[in-house]
């Protein structure tokens, strides 16, 4: 995507928080579908979180 389009996209975002989220996602190679599935909710730090897992392993819940 040309730099001009990135500038337009970042200018259209409402807050620095949104710009930081998008910049982090893009710089880490997040796929479009993963980015579209994200929700704008603030994480609950007391709720159990799912840890990343290697392929072929069981899902492990933190808590």
């Amino acid at each position: 995507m040309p730099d001009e389009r990135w500038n337009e996209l970042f200018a259209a975002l409402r807050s620095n928080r949104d710009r930081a989220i998008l910049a982090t996602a893009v710089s880490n190679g997040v796929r479009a579908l993963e980015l579209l599935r994200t929700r704008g909710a603030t994480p609950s730090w007391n709720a159990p979180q799912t840890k990343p897992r290697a392929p072929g392993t069981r899902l492990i819940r933190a808590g």
Side-chain angles (χ1 to χ4, degrees):
M1 190 157 95
D3 287 343
E4 182 178 299
R5 294 293 305 236
W6 281 113
N7 293 338
E8 291 173 13
L9 177 59
F10 276 84
L13 295 173
R14 296 181 183 183
S15 69
N16 286 333
R17 174 188 169 269
D18 293 344
R19 290 180 192 98
I21 291 169
L22 180 61
T24 301
V26 170
S27 67
N28 284 296
V30 173
R31 294 180 185 103
L33 184 59
E34 294 168 335
L35 187 58
L36 292 172
R37 286 183 177 170
T38 58
R39 298 177 188 249
T42 302
S44 172
W45 300 111
N46 295 324
Q49 301 293 316
T50 303
K51 292 184 178 182
R53 63 183 175 96
T57 60
R58 291 184 9 220
L59 182 64
I60 300 171
R61 288 217 170 255

